Amino acid sequence: MDSVKNLAKALQFKTVSSSKLEEFDVEEFSNFLAFLKETYPLVHEKLELTIINNYSPLFHWKSGTGELPMMFLAHYDVVPVNEESWSVGPFSGEIKDGNVWGRGSIDDKNSIISLMETVEALLKEGYTPKRDIYLAFGYDEETFGEHGAKQIVQYMKEKGMKFECILDEGGIVTPGSMMGIDKDIAVIGVAEKGQCNYEFTFTGEQGHSSAPPKSTSVGKMAAFIKDVENNPCEMRLTEPVEEMLRNVSPYKRGIEKIFMKNARFFFPILKNIMAKGAQTNALIRTTVAFTKTNAGSEPNVLPDKSQVTANVRLLPGDTPEKIEAWFKSFHHDFELKRLAAESPTDVSRTDNDVYRVLKKCIEEVFDKPVVTPYLMIGGTDSRNYKGLSDKIYRFMPCRLTSEELGLMHADDEYISIENFHKMIAFYTLFIKEMNR
Ligand SMILES: [Zn+2]
């Protein structure tokens, strides 16, 4: 029960992320690290601790062997809360109805605390791993990891470090009903889509609106938006999605089963079905969402400039350059500015021992769900770790219902105590299996 109380305490620190560094309440972050030190004395005594860029702890558990190390990632920053719409205190860490409530309970302090509980307990029983183990905790994952993950990676690259595998948050176990099957399904993120932001500027004639030109800058912008929305990027089947469809297919019936089993062959038919759902659509194409506009100042003044921002999520295989050329292929008259660009990650393979061990541990802890790789449409800190390992997997050992999944970044976030115990059981088993 102590572990549950420790999680509850961890949720009481207001380690809220902000895109502006000066808005971080640094005392809360320092206090959180002090809390870890006080709560996990063995981890702090036996593991080497390096603090990267003031707030990112990097723990190193030495094995004394030359085997390639393994690493766990997690983050302790959380997204902001709207206090009034919570039915419990968002930073109360309240324990009731078999759950622990609070911001960060499923994203991602649960990972940090269950990892710390796991290692503390293993140390207590005198366990020594066969390969070195690292725990690296980011503190600004929710705002792109500029100060946490990216600094940790820089530190590791300077030291020439390499890892057998890296495990971060990401996929989870869900009821199969979410995919129309009877068995639970566990998804392991093997790749992440890339993300770019672009600003398009359209120029128009200045002057009075009483004698307007045929189209104003607003009209030009609108025509472009409509054109792009009507002609989305081409649909393409990537390996992780193909593998996911194949793994789920045995639990489907009829024609669906045949389509999914042979997804590449039937893709010309399958893609039209997948394009209908927003989630499945995002799995098979680079998506473009126009998110912000800025144009005009007065009702009767022609706007000389109109701007629109697009958020683009790149499918593995696409690049910022490719999407920019695609935008230009519409032949509209605009100035394009790249605001931010992160390429898709590499795809980690699944035909190796680490993946097999991961799968086996999931099957054991979670009552044999269908385990499958998948493509993540959201991002994690692990996207920054390219080059440090070719086996980067994203999986949080929790079974979440679709309702619970919806609590991520939402009001009344909680984790069930059962899930929290499963996380510890999973990490313990995974460490032991990786160190046999
Ligand atoms: Zn997260």
Side-chain angles (χ1 to χ4, degrees):
M1 200 57 196
D2 272 356
S3 61
V4 175
K5 284 191 186 138
N6 290 339
L7 174 64
K9 269 191 225 160
L11 300 180
Q12 290 166 10
F13 297 90
K14 296 179 179 166
T15 50
V16 180
S17 236
S18 164
S19 52
K20 293 188 191 101
L21 195 61
E22 61 272 19
E23 282 175 10
F24 276 71
D25 188 347
V26 291
E27 220 182 310
E28 295 284 336
F29 287 75
S30 301
N31 290 343
F32 182 81
L33 297 183
F35 153 77
L36 289 185
K37 191 170 180 187
E38 184 187 302
T39 313
Y40 303 104
L42 281 176
V43 173
H44 285 77
E45 187 193 318
K46 307 273 188 196
L47 275 60
E48 187 181 277
L49 172 62
T50 310
I51 301 283
I52 313 272
N53 200 17
N54 298 318
Y55 306 105
S56 267
L58 172 65
F59 292 97
H60 178 191
W61 193 356
K62 290 177 186 163
S63 63
T65 73
E67 286 207 45
L68 266 183
M70 62 192 290
M71 176 157 61
F72 295 93
L73 306 181
H75 65 92
Y76 67 98
D77 59 311
V78 298
V79 291
V81 297
N82 177 12
E83 197 137 6
E84 292 96 74
S85 44
W86 281 64
S87 67
V88 292
F91 297 101
S92 65
E94 203 173 314
I95 302 169
K96 64 164 191 189
D97 308 329
N99 304 320
V100 187
W101 301 74
R103 174 60 89 225
S105 54
I106 46 170
D107 181 18
D108 183 37
K109 282 177 175 168
N110 52 331
S111 297
I112 295 204
I113 300 303
S114 50
L115 281 165
M116 294 298 275
E117 290 289 337
T118 300
V119 176
E120 184 80 7
L122 286 172
L123 287 166
K124 205 174 265 175
E125 68 184 52
Y127 179 83
T128 316
K130 266 206 187 138
R131 62 173 86 240
D132 289 17
I133 297 177
Y134 286 83
L135 310 174
F137 300 151
Y139 68 93
D140 63 344
E141 189 272 345
E142 302 293 0
T143 49
F144 301 110
E146 210 55 58
H147 310 285
K150 283 190 182 149
Q151 304 301 320
I152 299 171
V153 169
Q154 197 187 333
Y155 171 87
M156 291 177 164
K157 285 195 168 157
E158 274 163 20
K159 296 212 154 206
M161 295 165 81
K162 287 270 182 261
F163 298 88
E164 172 64 14
C165 63
I166 298 176
L167 186 65
D168 197 0
E169 61 171 339
I172 50 156
V173 185
T174 58
S177 55
M178 282 172 80
M179 282 194 84
I181 63 173
D182 295 334
K183 260 168 102 81
D184 276 3
I185 175 161
V187 291
I188 301 170
V190 292
E192 291 175 25
K193 289 181 88 174
Q195 188 172 177
C196 307
N197 293 325
Y198 293 106
E199 185 183 79
F200 300 86
T201 304
F202 298 82
T203 313
E205 291 166 36
Q206 266 177 304
H208 202 276
S209 59
S210 58
K214 219 173 150 194
S215 182
T216 66
S217 65
V218 173
K220 289 179 187 173
M221 175 175 78
F224 172 68
I225 294 173
K226 204 73 225 140
D227 215 1
V228 171
E229 286 186 345
N230 285 342
N231 299 283
C233 294
E234 57 154 1
M235 293 181 269
R236 187 155 52 77
L237 188 62
T238 55
E239 243 175 273
V241 176
E242 182 179 11
E243 218 176 315
M244 180 183 80
L245 294 170
R246 191 171 47 238
N247 286 333
V248 173
S249 70
Y251 308 94
K252 289 280 191 180
R253 280 185 208 99
I255 195 84
E256 248 186 319
K257 183 186 186 120
I258 297 164
F259 281 0
M260 285 168 73
K261 189 172 173 215
N262 308 291
R264 195 155 292 275
F265 184 78
F266 288 109
F267 194 59
I269 305 169
L270 202 56
K271 68 182 184 186
N272 296 319
I273 304 168
M274 291 182 79
K276 286 196 179 117
Q279 294 285 328
T280 43
N281 180 54
L283 288 176
I284 55 169
R285 63 164 36 123
T286 290
T287 57
V288 178
F290 291 103
T291 49
K292 269 168 69 179
T293 55
N294 180 22
S297 56
E298 294 296 331
N300 59 349
V301 177
L302 296 176
D304 60 334
K305 254 187 200 164
S306 293
Q307 292 178 315
V308 59
T309 307
N311 180 255
V312 177
R313 304 295 178 114
L314 299 169
L315 206 60
D318 280 351
T319 60
E321 291 72 28
K322 214 167 136 186
I323 195 76
E324 284 157 26
W326 178 78
F327 279 129
K328 286 176 187 158
S329 74
F330 284 90
H331 297 293
H332 285 252
D333 191 16
F334 54 72
E335 218 177 283
L336 187 153
K337 190 173 160 198
R338 189 196 282 188
L339 303 178
E342 288 213 21
S343 295
T345 67
D346 293 340
V347 180
S348 294
R349 300 181 61 101
T350 56
D351 53 354
N352 59 64
D353 284 339
V354 176
Y355 186 85
R356 280 186 280 274
V357 168
L358 195 55
K359 181 170 184 276
K360 185 181 153 203
C361 294
I362 295 170
E363 284 167 349
E364 223 169 294
V365 174
F366 289 96
D367 205 21
K368 301 207 166 30
V370 180
V371 180
T372 181
Y374 86 122
L375 170 67
M376 286 195 60
I377 54 178
T380 68
D381 264 347
S382 72
R383 67 184 308 109
N384 299 296
Y385 286 74
K386 183 186 162 105
L388 291 174
S389 177
D390 59 356
K391 299 180 204 85
I392 301 180
Y393 299 114
R394 301 148 187 91
F395 177 73
M396 179 194 283
C398 275
R399 182 189 187 273
L400 302 180
T401 61
S402 63
E403 207 173 286
E404 286 172 320
L405 198 53
L407 297 176
M408 231 171 246
H409 295 196
D411 302 332
D412 288 344
E413 182 181 341
Y414 71 79
I415 185 169
S416 70
I417 290 172
E418 190 188 345
N419 260 324
F420 180 59
H421 286 318
K422 289 220 161 169
M423 291 186 80
I424 298 171
F426 172 85
Y427 287 130
T428 306
L429 185 65
F430 186 58
I431 287 176
K432 288 193 168 168
E433 289 292 324
M434 282 294 295
N435 287 278
R436 279 156 78 91

